[in-house]
Amino acid sequence: MLLTGAKIVVECLKEHKVDTIFGYPGANVIHIYDVLYGDKAINHILTAHEQGASHAADGYARSTGKVGVCIATSGPGATNLVTGIATAYMDSVPMVVITGNVPVHLLGKDSFQEVDITGITAPITKHNYIVKDVNRLADTIREAFYIAKEGRPGPVLIDIPKDVSMNEAEYIPKEPKEIIRSREGITEERLQGAVDLIEACEKPFIYIGGGVVRSEASDALLELAEKIGAPVASSLMGLGGFPGTHKQFTGMIGMHGTKTSNVSITKSDLILAIGARFSDRVVSNVEKFAKHAKILHIDVDPAEVNKNVVTDHYIVGDIKETLNALNKKVKKIDRSSWINDVVAYKEKYPMTYDKHTLTASTIIGKLDELTDDETIISTEVGQHQMWTAQHFTFNQPKEFLTSGGLGTMGYGLGAAIGAQIGNPTKRVINIAGDGCFKMNLIECATLVNYKLPVMILLIDNNVLGMVRQWQTLFFDKRYASTNLNHQTNFIGLAEDFGMKGYEISHIDQVEDILQKALAQEGPVLVHCKIHEDEKVFPMVAPGESIDALITEG
């Protein structure tokens, strides 16, 4: 059948079972929006800003496992998506980003609202396209969805000039190409090498990253960890990939990881790094990292192997497929002595806090007590992000949404919107710092417009807390531009948007206010005022070994 480019876009989205798009209209996507207007199969969520749309598509993708989709017009509409695209790229989130552009004959002429968005996003997309011929549009969209999801997921951008969306071409429906999990590198030789290392060691330690969550390998990981008697620590991105209440789980690892995780990995003789990239925030000083351990690296992306840390053995392939294959080959090994040592570390170095003082840890810890395992938590970036990772328990994957690689302030509220749209029956909470919240707080309008029951837990210390912490510890308390000194009435602001607002200013209010907020059926903000010098501990100083932790003492 003969369809316009705009109709082809929408039909291809429906081929891929897309039920939701996040976006903001403009002149160069107006024909696509005109088609969406009459189509009931796809729900369009109008955000307050294009960056909010990109973060919402990201949160939708992370929390559902589907491909997130967002759309914006050319020029500033497209560039406003860039931070969200980069966030998704760093954290391996499958997204298809659609942008409009000026007509083909005006490209390269500095036309009104023209920008080379494919050139801008080349380093931060898994692949991108500019479609100058409507006859290539359908196959380009199909290929984009495949690339976004296949192997190591990531964002793909499709730039569509306005006349391409207006022109007609023959459209023939097609079933989406099947995503086949990567198995080529999972050979008998590679598997046997891994089994030999596992059986020869005495103190194995599993370090997981976001790849475990993306590949839906949590069950296979749990089986392997219990089978070989290995404690498990997680990077920030891997939280939820292994049950947080499990005896063998030691918590987060790295700069703000638990002392149990950092000490245990240092004492291990084999590190199984699974779906993780040995980030500088985990490894710290590479020369001092786990000097006595051999390293077995399992990852879907060959570019990650030997990139940051040299391995002794590796398997390149889908995480779930690899772990299932390993579980068939490896024997059950009794390492109760090693596990007991690690449990003793957990008892010796607990992640505790003063429950009688109003702190972020107290508030987040109480929130953890009052919510169930189905709760989805998003965060912004900074101290509150680390307190959440330390004091909120994640027992399931896809329920902790945070910007790990890029560290994007302003990410969490948009992500919470996407997660709530994708998971309408689940409780979604965005834990935010005051500096981050102010960056994209306009999306509170989106919460209200769509009556989304998202709770915002606003941790307010009136400073840029993480930077101030570094200034306190390493820059002789020279607080350059980190005192925010805002006079914002956050409760009044929430109410002006049309949200319910609550204030926590004393420890005795914490449980009562949180319960009231959790009982709300619509969007709600809880403003928590904490001391400006509350810090995130433990912490590894720059250049130190990860077991050389600064503690609050």
Side-chain angles (χ1 to χ4, degrees):
M1 68 188 93
L2 205 61
L3 299 181
T4 65
K7 288 184 178 179
I8 289 171
V9 169
V10 175
E11 289 304 314
C12 286
L13 293 177
K14 288 192 284 188
E15 282 180 7
H16 290 84
K17 304 295 188 292
V18 173
D19 54 24
T20 304
I21 301 175
F22 304 89
Y24 204 94
N28 287 323
V29 288
I30 195 168
H31 294 89
I32 298 173
Y33 270 85
D34 190 53
V35 176
L36 286 170
Y37 178 78
D39 197 295
K40 305 301 182 185
I42 297 177
N43 182 28
H44 178 272
I45 303 297
L46 176 64
T47 55
H49 190 282
E50 291 93 348
Q51 185 178 339
S54 64
H55 292 325
D58 176 306
Y60 177 93
R62 294 193 204 214
S63 62
T64 64
K66 302 176 184 178
V67 176
V69 180
C70 59
I71 182 171
T73 195
S74 62
T79 57
N80 282 343
L81 296 172
V82 168
T83 297
I85 295 169
T87 301
Y89 181 74
M90 290 289 283
D91 290 346
S92 305
V93 179
M95 283 170 48
V96 169
V97 180
I98 299 170
T99 55
N101 214 327
V102 300
V104 172
H105 71 280
L106 293 178
L107 290 170
K109 297 183 178 181
D110 294 331
S111 305
F112 176 67
Q113 289 195 334
E114 179 197 359
V115 72
D116 178 12
I117 194 63
T118 54
I120 290 169
T121 60
I124 55 167
T125 51
K126 195 174 175 186
H127 196 65
N128 67 18
Y129 307 84
I130 179 166
V131 184
K132 298 180 182 180
D133 180 355
V134 68
N135 293 292
R136 299 180 58 189
L137 183 57
D139 285 342
T140 299
I141 294 170
R142 291 163 182 152
E143 190 174 276
F145 272 89
Y146 180 82
I147 291 172
K149 191 77 171 170
E150 182 268 340
R152 181 177 183 170
V156 180
L157 180 136
I158 309 168
D159 194 36
I160 306 173
K162 185 175 184 178
D163 53 338
V164 173
S165 68
M166 298 166 61
N167 295 340
E168 292 184 331
E170 190 68 26
Y171 167 75
I172 301 172
K174 286 186 179 180
E175 286 293 316
K177 184 179 177 182
E178 182 185 359
I179 303 292
I180 299 174
R181 292 177 178 268
S182 174
R183 302 183 180 94
E184 290 83 0
I186 311 173
T187 64
E188 283 300 312
E189 180 184 1
R190 293 276 108 193
L191 288 169
Q192 190 57 51
V195 170
D196 290 345
L197 283 173
I198 291 168
E199 292 181 347
C201 73
E202 295 181 358
K203 297 180 178 181
F205 190 92
I206 297 175
Y207 148 50
I208 67 169
V212 170
V213 177
R214 296 287 176 271
S215 65
E216 301 180 329
S218 298
D219 291 343
L221 170 66
L222 177 61
E223 181 182 345
L224 179 68
E226 291 181 340
K227 206 169 186 180
I228 68 172
V232 179
S234 172
S235 71
L236 182 71
M237 295 306 304
L239 289 171
F242 192 83
T245 52
H246 196 284
K247 176 182 177 180
Q248 288 169 226
F249 187 62
T250 62
M252 190 167 68
I253 190 168
M255 179 176 283
H256 293 292
T258 67
K259 190 164 185 176
T260 300
S261 293
N262 289 14
V263 168
S264 297
I265 199 170
T266 304
K267 291 183 178 295
S268 70
D269 58 1
L270 176 66
I271 298 170
L272 286 79
I274 304 175
R277 58 190 173 87
F278 292 100
S279 156
D280 57 297
R281 287 298 171 108
V282 168
V283 173
S284 191
N285 189 324
V286 176
E287 301 300 322
K288 299 178 181 179
F289 178 72
K291 293 186 295 184
H292 306 295
K294 291 185 176 181
I295 295 177
L296 166 59
H297 195 177
I298 300 171
D299 204 284
V300 74
D301 186 355
E304 292 298 342
V305 176
N306 294 318
K307 184 176 81 173
N308 295 327
V309 171
V310 177
T311 65
D312 293 276
H313 190 71
Y314 63 85
I315 301 175
V316 174
D318 178 79
I319 304 299
K320 184 176 182 179
E321 293 291 329
T322 304
L323 295 188
N324 283 335
L326 270 179
N327 283 328
K328 291 176 182 177
K329 292 183 73 68
V330 76
K331 295 180 293 187
K332 186 171 178 61
I333 304 170
D334 180 10
R335 291 195 173 99
S336 53
S337 177
W338 169 227
I339 295 297
N340 289 338
D341 286 348
V342 172
V343 170
Y345 293 145
K346 289 170 73 172
E347 293 172 353
K348 185 177 181 180
Y349 309 123
M351 288 295 295
T352 57
Y353 51 87
D354 183 359
K355 296 186 177 182
H356 304 290
T357 304
L358 184 64
T359 64
S361 300
T362 309
I363 297 164
I364 293 169
K366 180 56 68 174
L367 182 69
D368 185 30
E369 292 177 19
L370 297 175
T371 52
D372 59 31
D373 285 347
E374 296 295 311
T375 303
I376 297 174
I377 300 291
S378 69
T379 75
E380 309 291 347
V381 170
Q383 287 181 313
H384 68 276
Q385 179 190 34
M386 295 298 106
W387 286 317
T388 303
Q390 292 175 339
H391 300 297
F392 200 95
T393 307
F394 297 98
N395 281 314
Q396 298 182 38
K398 301 179 187 174
E399 295 188 343
F400 180 51
L401 317 178
T402 196
S403 174
L406 196 64
T408 305
M409 294 176 70
Y411 164 82
L413 183 51
I417 290 169
Q420 190 70 78
I421 294 291
N423 303 268
T425 63
K426 292 187 177 183
R427 162 65 68 182
V428 179
I429 300 170
N430 176 39
I431 300 178
D434 49 326
C436 293
F437 178 65
K438 288 166 68 178
M439 288 193 169
N440 278 333
L441 62 81
I442 191 64
E443 295 304 337
C444 287
T446 309
L447 291 181
V448 174
N449 288 347
Y450 291 96
K451 299 181 174 60
L452 300 177
V454 171
M455 172 179 164
I456 301 169
L457 184 68
L458 179 57
I459 307 296
D460 177 13
N461 54 10
N462 206 22
V463 295
L464 296 178
M466 190 60 87
V467 184
R468 180 185 172 89
Q469 176 166 329
W470 278 60
Q471 289 170 335
T472 300
L473 297 175
F474 310 120
F475 291 86
D476 282 338
K477 300 184 179 180
R478 296 189 296 275
Y479 299 126
S481 301
T482 48
N483 293 321
L484 296 177
N485 297 318
H486 51 64
Q487 304 300 312
T488 307
N489 176 355
F490 286 108
I491 300 301
L493 181 71
E495 291 173 347
D496 284 346
F497 272 113
M499 300 168 59
K500 183 69 177 176
Y502 292 100
E503 184 94 30
I504 292 178
S505 56
H506 191 273
I507 185 66
D508 294 339
Q509 299 174 300
V510 173
E511 183 168 357
D512 180 53
I513 295 296
L514 288 180
Q515 286 182 331
K516 287 180 178 178
L518 290 168
Q520 289 293 316
E521 295 184 357
V524 58
L525 182 144
V526 180
H527 178 223
C528 310
K529 188 73 176 175
I530 65 168
H531 194 275
E532 64 186 12
D533 281 322
E534 186 178 343
K535 293 180 177 59
V536 179
F537 290 114
M539 177 181 181
V540 177
E544 293 295 330
S545 170
I546 64 167
D547 61 335
L549 292 138
I550 302 172
T551 64
E552 196 161 3

